[in-house]
Amino acid sequence: MGALTGPVLEISRSRFLENIAAVRRHITPSALMLVMKDDAYGHGLGWATDAACAALGRHDSFGAYDVATALRIRGSAPEAAVFAWVTSSDEEIARALAARIDLGVGTAEYLRRVIAASDAFGTPARVHLKIDTGLHRNGIRSEDWAEVVAEAVAAERAGLIRVAGVWTHLAEASDADDDVSAAEFHEASEQLRAAGTTPQWAHVTASAASWWRPELRGNLCRVGAFCYGIRSAEGPEIPGVLPVASLYAPVVAVDGDEAIIATGALHGLPSTLVGARVGTPRGPRTITRVDAVTMTVVDASGLRPGDTATVFGPGEAGEGDATSLAEHIGTVGEEILTRLTTGVRRVGVK
Ligand SMILES: *Cc1c(COP(=O)(O)O)cnc(C)c1O
């Protein structure tokens, strides 16, 4: 990499595609829903959509979080299945239906609004009903499930919606808790079947459980982190999966025994990053101060303005990936990557 004027997040297309392929191989015969939230985990939604289109199979799909993201994906993936699960406004529902976006439904009130929008639009909405199995974020509570199922099935019979999926999200706090959640999920799916509809998709697991708990998978896995090569914090390496992104930043000044690295807007990355190491062509250097836009590296010895520091990425003995850096401050790799603002230039490489 030549001399930089600012920080660069280098994102590897081939790495991304290899990760997707490794995840697909591992979860087969389940299909993959590639999760794209938070600007594709900081990698850039446009880049990630374009890259992934070629890698997804006929039954795979994109997981968009909100309708705005889903519409952006639709713009560059006209044929792909796209799923948006956050509760949205009526205007957003209408736009989603026009763009053939599948909708996640986690409340009775939202189901009613989707049915109304679908009736107005004239083509049945494809909905995925979400049962809350303990996370208490979004999801239909078990005590309300029977009533919501009855409404959904009636609307399906009336040709207003298609119940295309049933799903939940696991807490992944412990295997035992996830087992209880999975049992609740199966009971809820059974109720749906008994009420007269069998959705095409059942989805339960995100990266970690999709990988390590095959018995909990439905026929679709919603995977974000592992496709971007973000392993679980304190978790093992994932065979066949490597980080997609590396962050490089220039040494912009050397002042006495301190060298200043322009890491760009890591958006309030905490000063607790002090003590982590960055790689440099002259060996690893330890972070001694962090402020809003710069990091200061102790022991400038030998460093020169124009040198490139590897904030995370392979080689040069710094932190190998965003997760290693995150582990320094007791958090997850997503936390580092999604804090990189648009001020950090994304550069796609082969
Ligand atoms: C973020 C998210 C996922 C993906 O989680 P990873 O651990 O990144 O794979 C899946 N499902 C839902 C509902 C999510 O919010």
Side-chain angles (χ1 to χ4, degrees), residues 14-348:
S14 55
R15 211 42 271 171
F16 187 41
L17 298 187
E18 282 165 40
N19 291 345
I20 292 172
V23 168
R24 289 187 75 221
R25 270 196 308 277
H26 195 82
I27 66 173
T28 193
S30 299
L32 169 66
M33 178 187 288
L34 175 64
V35 176
M36 308 293 276
K37 67 188 179 196
D38 294 324
D39 199 28
Y41 292 59
H43 293 67
L45 183 65
W47 175 87
T49 306
D50 290 345
C53 267
L56 295 186
R58 201 159 60 85
H59 296 294
D60 296 335
S61 54
F62 289 103
Y65 182 72
D66 59 356
V67 168
T69 303
L71 295 174
R72 286 183 57 203
I73 295 171
R74 169 61 73 235
S76 37
E79 302 306 327
V82 184
F83 177 61
W85 64 83
V86 76
T87 299
S88 304
S89 70
D90 291 346
E91 290 76 17
E92 287 170 317
I93 297 170
R95 268 182 248 130
L97 297 183
R100 294 166 286 116
I101 308 297
D102 282 22
L103 294 171
V105 168
T107 71
E109 186 269 341
Y110 191 47
L111 175 65
R112 287 178 202 130
R113 289 199 289 118
V114 171
I115 292 171
S118 202
D119 196 7
F121 183 63
T123 304
R126 287 171 51 87
V127 306
H128 299 224
L129 296 179
K130 183 181 186 191
I131 177 86
D132 173 33
T133 55
L135 211 52
H136 302 319
R137 240 191 247 158
N138 162 273
I140 297 152
R141 303 293 164 98
S142 53
E143 59 269 28
D144 302 326
W145 185 249
E147 192 189 322
V148 173
V149 163
E151 278 188 50
V153 169
E156 185 170 65
R157 294 223 169 100
L160 293 173
I161 61 167
R162 177 94 192 81
V163 182
V166 56
W167 66 295
T168 193
H169 193 53
L170 300 176
E172 290 188 345
S174 77
D175 280 1
D177 288 347
D178 288 349
D179 287 339
V180 171
S181 295
E184 286 174 23
F185 174 78
H186 285 297
E187 197 182 310
S189 306
E190 213 34 67
Q191 279 177 264
L192 200 52
R193 235 185 309 277
T197 191
T198 303
Q200 178 185 9
W201 300 115
H203 41 119
V204 177
T205 53
S207 286
S210 292
W211 195 275
W212 305 112
R213 306 288 320 272
E215 68 282 11
L216 301 189
R217 278 180 216 143
N219 62 353
L220 176 65
C221 298
R222 301 183 309 273
V223 179
F226 287 9
C227 289
Y228 302 91
I230 305 167
R231 63 191 161 79
S232 309
E234 315 296 341
E237 301 288 331
I238 314 298
V241 166
L242 286 169
V244 169
S246 303
L247 180 61
Y248 300 102
V251 174
V252 288
V254 175
D255 182 7
D257 59 2
E258 292 190 322
I260 296 174
I261 297 173
T263 43
L266 270 167
H267 244 30
L269 258 198
S271 53
T272 44
L273 269 180
V274 166
R277 290 183 314 173
V278 302
T280 83
R282 296 163 224 289
R285 297 289 186 271
T286 302
I287 298 170
T288 54
R289 276 198 289 129
V290 178
D291 66 41
V293 290
T294 59
M295 284 182 181
T296 307
V297 180
V298 76
D299 185 16
S301 59
L303 282 183
R304 291 182 212 127
D307 281 348
T308 296
T310 305
V311 182
F312 55 82
E316 316 227 81
E319 304 298 343
D321 61 14
T323 304
S324 305
L325 190 58
E327 283 167 349
H328 266 278
I329 52 174
T331 184
V332 295
E334 290 91 322
E335 214 29 58
I336 301 278
L337 283 158
T338 59
R339 279 166 187 259
L340 297 173
T341 66
T342 49
V344 177
R345 200 155 57 90
R346 270 69 171 170
V347 174

